[in-house]
Amino acid sequence: MMEEVNKKFDSILLNENIYNNLPHELFDIYLILIHFFLNKKQEIITISANDILNFREIKQISHKNFRRSGFNKIVKEKIIALIISLEKLNLLKIIEKNNYILKIKLNENYLNDKKIILPKKLLNFHPLKNSWHKDIGYYLSVYKQLKPKLNVIQIQKIMKIIKNNYCFLAPSRIRNRFENTMDELAQANIIQDWYYKNIDEDALNCKNWLWWWEKLSVKINFDILTQPTCFLNF
């Protein structure tokens, strides 16, 4: 049964063409659209660029008198262009297009499958500014659902799922960014808390310390994820 569940999940997230090869922005839009489909429980939905920008909690442009005037036209056009790109990849079908409003249908039926709990805040994160939050957050959410009895994960396994190449960063910046991301995921209630299982700072005081650091494991308290927020099918 678990193999069947994993296979279903792989077909959505871990498929090479969808998860590994999709840019952050495309993958993020795809997940948000799935979220809208699951919440509306309809095979065809009407969605606008404004709906997605509001969901991301993007601020609208304001006049000098602080009255909202709406979202930037270029930003809305980019959202529509990303959805069109998903259609070209055969992940969805655009039934009707009217300016920044689309009527779409996904090319998979997600309404009746089992679901992975995804904290809504995780989908709210910006796909470029918070790319590590997205990658690590998705991984941990899935890990919790598929391996509910485990809460110790090797850092190396977590780092492997980060999409953007970080080899240009200094070792100290890689560690700092990882720790800051984990702290901010906890602050956003995506995880409850985390800490190193065993760490000896003196042992990391060597030339190739980053290699040894990635061999360490972290212990994560997932309790917050038992609270339903939004869902992703698997």
Side-chain angles (χ1 to χ4, degrees):
M1 179 63 180
M2 183 57 70
E3 289 183 0
E4 182 180 346
V5 168
N6 285 339
K7 185 175 180 181
K8 281 188 177 182
F9 179 75
D10 288 347
S11 69
I12 296 174
L13 277 187
L14 303 183
N15 178 280
E16 182 179 1
N17 293 325
I18 295 178
Y19 182 74
N20 294 328
N21 291 341
L22 276 188
H24 274 98
E25 285 187 288
L26 264 183
F27 180 65
D28 191 63
I29 291 291
Y30 187 51
L31 289 188
I32 292 175
L33 291 176
I34 291 175
H35 169 71
F36 278 110
F37 270 97
L38 293 176
N39 280 271
K40 294 187 177 183
K41 298 180 180 180
Q42 298 172 352
E43 291 187 4
I44 298 175
I45 66 170
T46 299
I47 190 99
S48 68
N50 283 4
D51 292 332
I52 294 175
L53 292 169
N54 281 322
F55 183 83
R56 282 183 174 171
E57 300 179 348
I58 304 295
K59 293 183 178 179
Q60 298 186 29
I61 299 173
S62 300
H63 289 297
K64 291 182 179 180
N65 60 2
F66 300 104
R67 292 182 60 189
R68 290 185 175 180
S69 61
F71 292 106
N72 186 292
K73 180 180 177 181
I74 296 176
V75 175
K76 292 196 291 186
E77 289 175 348
K78 186 174 183 180
I79 294 293
I80 299 301
L82 288 169
I83 297 176
I84 292 173
S85 295
L86 289 172
E87 182 183 42
K88 292 178 180 179
L89 293 171
N90 200 34
L91 294 174
L92 57 82
K93 174 72 174 177
I94 298 176
I95 308 297
E96 184 180 320
K97 180 178 180 292
N98 183 13
N99 292 326
Y100 304 114
I101 302 174
L102 301 175
K103 187 176 289 186
I104 61 176
K105 176 181 180 180
L106 291 183
N107 288 345
E108 295 285 349
N109 181 11
Y110 297 101
L111 299 179
N112 300 318
D113 291 338
K114 294 182 179 179
K115 300 172 180 64
I116 291 244
I117 298 173
L118 284 184
K120 183 174 180 291
K121 180 60 181 176
L122 185 56
L123 296 181
N124 293 149
F125 277 125
H126 194 284
L128 300 181
K129 295 178 182 178
N130 305 111
S131 61
W132 281 37
H133 299 72
K134 289 276 191 180
D135 291 340
I136 294 176
Y138 289 138
Y139 176 80
L140 295 181
S141 297
V142 172
Y143 188 92
K144 165 63 178 175
Q145 300 298 312
L146 299 185
K147 301 180 180 180
K149 296 183 179 180
L150 300 179
N151 63 351
V152 176
I153 311 174
Q154 190 179 48
I155 294 174
Q156 186 178 48
K157 291 183 179 180
I158 299 176
M159 298 300 288
K160 281 183 178 179
I161 55 86
I162 295 176
K163 285 186 178 183
N164 59 326
N165 191 344
Y166 57 85
C167 64
F168 61 91
L169 294 175
S172 59
R173 291 190 61 192
I174 293 174
R175 176 178 172 178
N176 287 341
R177 185 167 179 179
F178 172 82
E179 292 176 347
N180 289 337
T181 298
M182 295 295 289
D183 287 342
E184 289 165 12
L185 289 175
Q187 291 169 10
N189 290 332
I190 291 168
I191 60 175
Q192 184 162 321
D193 55 45
W194 75 281
Y195 54 88
Y196 288 103
K197 184 181 178 183
N198 293 298
I199 186 169
D200 183 349
E201 294 290 357
D202 292 334
L204 294 176
N205 189 21
C206 59
K207 184 177 181 180
N208 296 318
W209 68 265
L210 186 67
W211 187 88
W212 293 103
W213 173 78
E214 289 189 330
K215 298 298 180 183
L216 298 176
S217 295
V218 293
K219 190 169 184 178
I220 301 171
N221 188 338
F222 288 109
D223 286 350
I224 199 74
L225 289 180
T226 60
Q227 302 175 11
T229 48
C230 61
F231 300 92
L232 175 66
N233 280 30
F234 69 95

